[in-house]
Amino acid sequence: AFKESEPDSVSNPKVSKNKNIHKNENINNSLNEMIKIDNNFNISEFVSGAKKAFEFILVQYSQNNLKSLKTLLSNKMLDAFQTQINLREKKLESLEITVISVKDPEILDAKIDNKSIALVTLLFDSEQIQITKNKNGDVVDGDSNQILSIKENWSFSKNLKNKDPNWTLERIEESN
């Protein structure tokens, strides 16, 4: 009698297997959870968007242009930036930041609060020139010939149920 061969594997469509996005299991689970909540969420698009945001935020901040950052910064970050800008303006100083290069950001942490608030921390490893000038245009801090290697952890958040595609910068910390 004819006998069908056993299937090599049985797939159950109800169980969606987590994609292996990150080597850390907890981060991987969180990222997969984010994709489940917001199926438009795409890790590589998020990382490349964050890289663009990193450069944009630094440039706008150095130009004292917080208006353009309102949608990208948490209130806490907006206040912190405003405080720094006020100090510069009081001293009649200006800050010039030139981003020479930024490596592709690395996801250091990812979690979900209250079932839909995503929080992702990225390591930005960049080379920058930072110069502070006084009102006469003399350099008072930094050196235009000195390229600084700067490693910082930037944490972004987003309500995944919100249709707004923008993520919000919650905090910046020096990376160890």
Side-chain angles (χ1 to χ4, degrees):
F2 175 75
K3 187 178 176 298
E4 264 189 57
S5 64
E6 289 295 309
D8 294 330
S9 66
V10 179
S11 66
N12 180 346
K14 284 202 183 85
V15 179
S16 71
K17 187 80 184 79
N18 269 356
K19 281 206 210 84
N20 203 2
I21 308 167
H22 198 282
K23 57 187 183 291
N24 176 308
E25 193 184 343
N26 292 339
I27 294 175
N28 193 53
N29 291 343
S30 294
L31 292 173
N32 276 289
E33 193 59 36
M34 291 173 195
I35 293 166
K36 272 185 206 132
I37 297 168
D38 175 3
N39 51 17
N40 293 320
F41 178 58
N42 174 310
I43 307 292
S44 57
E45 279 175 20
F46 165 73
V47 170
S48 73
K51 189 175 173 179
K52 286 188 194 108
F54 173 80
E55 297 192 49
F56 179 75
I57 289 169
L58 285 177
V59 169
Q60 298 303 313
Y61 165 67
S62 69
Q63 293 171 356
N64 299 358
N65 184 2
L66 286 187
K67 273 193 191 74
S68 62
L69 297 180
K70 271 199 166 59
T71 56
L72 299 175
L73 301 179
S74 68
N75 291 337
K76 215 167 91 181
M77 284 304 306
L78 211 53
D79 290 347
F81 278 12
Q82 189 62 66
T83 302
Q84 290 304 313
I85 288 172
N86 292 347
L87 286 171
R88 282 204 298 266
E89 288 177 339
K90 205 177 275 173
K91 294 181 189 164
L92 302 176
E93 290 178 346
S94 63
L95 173 66
E96 289 175 20
I97 297 177
T98 309
V99 179
I100 309 289
S101 70
V102 187
K103 291 193 179 124
D104 281 337
E106 183 190 331
I107 297 175
L108 296 181
D109 194 21
K111 58 179 187 267
I112 297 178
D113 288 336
N114 305 331
K115 294 189 172 64
S116 68
I117 309 291
L119 187 69
V120 181
T121 301
L122 297 167
L123 166 65
F124 285 95
D125 184 351
S126 66
E127 290 187 331
Q128 303 174 23
I129 295 174
Q130 294 191 355
I131 312 166
T132 304
K133 293 181 175 175
N134 65 17
K135 66 177 192 288
N136 303 323
D138 303 320
V139 174
V140 290
D141 189 31
D143 177 346
S144 59
N145 296 314
Q146 187 181 40
I147 295 176
L148 308 171
S149 174
I150 298 177
K151 287 186 179 183
E152 291 175 326
N153 299 342
W154 286 37
S155 299
F156 294 91
S157 76
K158 177 183 188 322
N159 183 339
L160 296 171
K161 294 196 164 122
N162 189 330
K163 291 286 168 257
D164 179 357
N166 281 332
W167 286 69
T168 305
L169 178 62
E170 295 290 339
R171 76 176 169 264
I172 300 175
E173 295 164 327
E174 267 183 52
S175 185
N176 306 335

